[in-house]
Amino acid sequence: MRKINIGLLGCGTVGTGVAKILLEKKDLISSRVGAELKLKYVADLDPARDRGIKFDEGVFTGDAFKVIDDPETDIILEMIGGEKTAKDLILRAIENKKQVVTANKALLASCGNEIFRAAAAKGVDVAYEASVGGCIPIIKTLRESLAGNQVKSMVGILNGTCNYILSKITDDGSRFESALSEAQAKGFAEADPALDIEGLDTAHKLAVLNSIAYGMEINFKDIYIEGISKITPLDIEFAGQFGYRIKLLAISKNRGASVEARVHPTMIPFQNLLSNVNGPLNAITVSGDAVGDILLYGLGAGMMPTASAVISDTVDLARNILSGSVGRIPLLSFRMADIRKISVMPVDEISTHYYFRFAALDRPGVLSKISGILGKYGISLKSVHQKGRKTNGSVPIVMLSHLCKEADVKKALDEISQLDIVSTRPALIRIEDNDQED
Ligand code: HSE
């Protein structure tokens, strides 16, 4: 049987899962590929870590460049993470005409255009299913299964750590810090968990999805990003009383000449399937003009689910090598020559529904002052609630708006913040209702 040599770079959480599948499911994979996928090298700087795997003599090395420069290596699996070294390794692998698999969403978000152009020029494949949504086959779905569709929108929960934290606070009353520590202990979080909780990781993933959904260059820097660190248990409780759960969503809408792309905590109604996606699970709804709505759901983080996606890519690339069809599927779903620069709409231009919470003095005339300013900026209210007791002299006043423009909301909240009857900047959470009409 023909042998395809694999060089695994990085044997941390995901890399270890990949090595386990390659070694333990050798026969299953061979019978699916028609070749032996041989784990020829594992490169990592930490040989002492207990991975529960016994590698054959000569497999483990500290020198990743040796793996890439070996003419016998066919496929490189970049599982190192981070940007600088990973980029150097991938570009060198491409230069050496190796096929590449990566799970590195941060790298693709920042340098993907350069990497994919280099790969297309050399005629090699760079596969990246594991970069978005853990085990969920969203890249394959967009590149292959939905090829006959104009994608209209995508709405997803794409960060397992944030979803785990929000679920624990909502359902178990956990504290933010302890939920984050648990997510870290379970291997969901990034090495720097700020990437998770500040929404950057979700935005990295959205930048990749936008590119393959709409045929646009990867554009991370213009995505609006807000993380979950300012979400309070009080807002989670109010959300529940109004029939919503708070989720960190990646939202992308095809606006023709531009794309709406934003990441922020969002209230979604209980009836929305995404509101029932909890813990480390991810899910994404894609709306296409032919297909309607589809929903993909599965574990978005963790060793084995992510490794499953890496193996799927590895099998694809091995099959391409065997059939002489490397490059059969355009790297970013569209031919390189057809990929355009499409702008991301500034967040001020979006329109949506809002939840506002004001900490205001409990006095006559307060409500009318606040609603007067909202009215001045054309913000129409769906409901107003004064909830709970005074804390530090203030009471929470909660308002839900009809559809309104973000720029108007900002102006109104700026003005309301100046009033001496409110004690802090109002809380704002966007609402994604199924029915955005009004
Ligand atoms: N830190 C990421 C998450 C890992 O929590 O979703 C998967 O990309």
Side-chain angles (χ1 to χ4, degrees):
M1 188 179 263
R2 180 159 167 198
K3 200 185 285 174
I4 294 193
N5 289 317
I6 311 291
L8 170 62
L9 312 183
C11 202
T13 304
V14 177
T16 299
V18 169
K20 281 189 175 153
I21 296 181
L22 284 174
L23 296 173
E24 290 165 12
K25 300 197 170 142
K26 207 166 153 221
D27 295 340
L28 176 83
I29 293 171
S30 298
S31 59
R32 287 193 164 138
V33 176
E36 180 193 350
L37 297 195
K38 167 123 184 90
L39 185 59
K40 183 160 190 216
Y41 294 112
V42 176
D44 196 281
L45 294 175
D46 180 5
R49 177 179 172 149
D50 179 12
R51 298 172 172 89
I53 303 174
K54 181 147 175 31
F55 296 113
D56 288 346
E57 195 65 31
V59 169
F60 204 92
T61 170
D63 183 359
F65 285 97
K66 171 181 122 182
V67 177
I68 290 174
D69 290 339
D70 180 340
E72 288 190 357
T73 313
D74 297 297
I75 303 178
I76 294 292
L77 313 183
E78 184 279 303
M79 301 295 129
I80 288 178
E83 296 191 25
K84 169 82 181 77
T85 308
K87 181 181 172 189
D88 291 347
L89 291 166
I90 288 178
L91 288 177
R92 176 117 144 223
I94 291 169
E95 187 57 34
N96 289 351
K97 293 205 88 168
K98 312 289 183 202
Q99 314 306 313
V100 175
V101 177
T102 179
N104 196 331
K105 54 268 161 120
L107 177 63
L108 294 180
S110 63
C111 307
N113 294 317
E114 181 188 346
I115 289 170
F116 289 117
R117 267 195 295 269
K122 275 281 174 187
V124 301
D125 278 331
V126 174
Y128 47 98
E129 185 66 70
S131 66
V132 182
C135 71
I136 299 173
I138 180 63
I139 305 290
K140 196 181 264 286
T141 300
L142 286 169
R143 291 204 308 176
E144 301 179 44
S145 317
L146 299 184
N149 284 262
Q150 187 73 256
V151 174
K152 297 197 305 188
S153 66
M154 298 180 287
V155 178
I157 294 169
L158 300 179
N159 185 274
T161 302
C162 287
N163 206 38
Y164 185 86
I165 293 172
L166 290 174
S167 304
K168 290 297 272 186
I169 299 175
T170 308
D171 297 329
D172 302 343
S174 300
R175 288 180 47 250
F176 190 101
E177 292 71 22
S178 62
L180 171 59
S181 303
E182 283 175 33
Q184 287 177 295
K186 288 173 191 280
F188 304 147
E190 297 300 301
D192 174 5
L195 291 172
D196 297 295
I197 62 180
E198 296 308 339
L200 294 153
D201 177 77
T202 301
H204 290 149
K205 294 163 178 168
L206 184 60
V208 171
L209 293 185
N210 280 343
S211 175
I212 54 176
Y214 309 123
M216 64 190 275
E217 283 190 355
I218 295 174
N219 180 347
F220 163 72
K221 73 174 178 30
D222 293 330
I223 294 178
Y224 176 76
I225 309 171
E226 212 180 281
I228 63 167
S229 54
K230 296 200 180 72
I231 294 295
T232 64
L234 187 61
D235 294 317
I236 291 177
E237 191 189 323
F238 284 152
Q241 290 174 15
F242 300 125
Y244 296 115
R245 274 175 87 93
I246 299 178
K247 295 287 181 189
L248 183 71
L249 290 191
I251 299 174
S252 156
K253 297 184 182 175
N254 186 346
R255 299 295 186 201
S258 64
V259 164
E260 191 177 318
R262 46 196 168 97
V263 171
H264 51 70
T266 313
M267 290 193 184
I268 46 177
F270 293 154
Q271 310 87 276
N272 185 323
L273 292 175
L274 291 179
S275 83
N276 294 308
V277 174
N278 292 316
L281 285 149
N282 281 194
I284 177 158
T285 308
V286 182
S287 182
D289 61 353
V291 78
D293 288 350
I294 61 163
L295 175 71
L296 296 155
Y297 170 83
L299 282 166
M303 178 191 279
M304 297 317 282
T306 312
S308 163
V310 173
I311 297 295
S312 153
D313 277 345
T314 310
V315 164
D316 270 353
L317 298 194
R319 286 171 172 158
N320 288 352
I321 292 171
L322 292 173
S323 62
S325 57
V326 170
R328 186 178 75 84
I329 299 166
L331 298 165
L332 285 168
S333 180
F334 290 70
R335 291 185 328 147
M336 257 325 151
D338 290 329
I339 290 177
R340 297 167 299 146
K341 269 195 198 324
I342 300 179
S343 59
V344 172
M345 201 187 249
V347 71
D348 281 353
E349 289 175 23
I350 67 148
S351 290
T352 189
H353 296 81
Y354 294 85
Y355 157 98
F356 307 120
R357 179 175 48 78
F358 304 95
L361 296 180
D362 194 6
R363 267 201 211 144
V366 165
L367 263 181
S368 71
K369 272 197 181 159
I370 293 174
S371 56
I373 293 173
L374 292 170
K376 179 172 131 191
Y377 289 99
I379 295 156
S380 150
L381 297 173
K382 194 186 286 184
S383 59
V384 177
H385 312 257
Q386 182 172 320
K387 293 265 183 186
R389 295 249 174 82
K390 264 189 223 176
T391 42
N392 302 326
S394 308
V395 286
I397 297 176
V398 174
M399 299 184 180
L400 304 182
S401 84
H402 286 294
L403 201 60
C404 45
K405 203 167 163 195
E406 178 97 6
D408 296 330
V409 166
K410 278 200 189 135
K411 284 186 221 149
L413 295 194
D414 284 345
E415 199 168 319
I416 292 168
S417 300
Q418 303 303 316
L419 298 175
D420 55 8
I421 50 163
V422 298
S423 51
T424 51
R425 172 107 193 150
L428 168 164
I429 301 176
R430 296 167 192 84
I431 301 173
E432 191 73 9
D433 259 327
N434 293 339
D435 167 18
Q436 288 274 334
E437 265 142 56
D438 267 19

